[in-house]
Amino acid sequence: MFRPPSADPTEAVILISAAAEWRPVRARYPATATVSTPYGEAFATAVDTPAGRRDVVFLHGGWGKIDAAGSAQYAIDRWRPTLLVNLGTCGGFVEDIAAGEVLLVDFTLVYDILEQMGDPDEALAHYATEIDLSWLRGPLPLPARREMLVSADRDIVAGEVAGLRSRFGAIAADWESGAIAHVAARNGTRCLILRAVTDLVSHDEGEVYGRPELFAGRAEDVMNHLLDSLPGWLAAGLPPTN
């Protein structure tokens, strides 16, 4: 059931995209009551952080750019968060990154835009987003590489790895980060995107392609790793309580 925007702002919304990423979240909070949204279920909880208890909302926003953009805007309109956090997975390029590494995303680019009437680089630049992380205070709760992440409504195509690397300097890709970062920037909302590498793609193949059970297991592992670190990220990213 659709609910109107909340009258009370929430300190942070934790936006989770794919179903394989959401399942470990629900397993972490099995008894917490959920509400329905136009995108997926959501629930409010408090997280104990090194800087005190913080009120947050977890929202299952859905996979792909359309639901990612829509759910990010919905979260901002309904809960007016100080911080929008996206925890999730991504695929990495062989030899550029290792499985399990965490990316602290500082730039996003949507690479599946095909402009044939005008300037294709101008079209790509329209949705490219630099994420300001100057407000993020140390120490950070886990090692994370500040990197660009490219997004498209598709898994990484093995034959495109060389082009993505040479054209953009990309080392990893996902489905949703470009849309989430763009919407957050349009709203002037602080955005923290943390994506962990579940699998690697070479020039020839992707190691989890055709093996969904392998991806699901790795997604559970990296999501639990990110959830364990969430209190530290909230302490580093939210304004001090006093």
Side-chain angles (χ1 to χ4, degrees), residues 4 21 38 55 67 74 82 87 118 134 153 170 178 181 198 203 233:
E21 298 163 350
D55 294 323
D67 276 1
Y74 176 85
T82 300
L87 304 180
S134 62
D153 272 333
T198 52
H203 301 293
W233 292 107

Side-chain angles (χ1 to χ4, degrees), residues 9-15 43-45 47 54-59 75 79-85 189-190 192 230 233-235 237-239:
T10 298
E11 292 184 278
V13 171
I14 318 303
L15 184 61
F43 62 89
T45 189
V47 175
R54 313 309 291 251
D55 294 323
V56 305
V57 169
F58 283 89
L59 170 63
W79 291 291
R80 292 181 286 154
T82 300
L83 179 63
L84 181 67
V85 181
T189 300
R190 287 182 177 181
L192 179 64
L230 180 60
W233 292 107
L234 293 175
L238 287 170

Side-chain angles (χ1 to χ4, degrees), residues 17 38 73 123 175 215:
S17 300
Q73 187 64 59
W175 292 60
F215 168 73

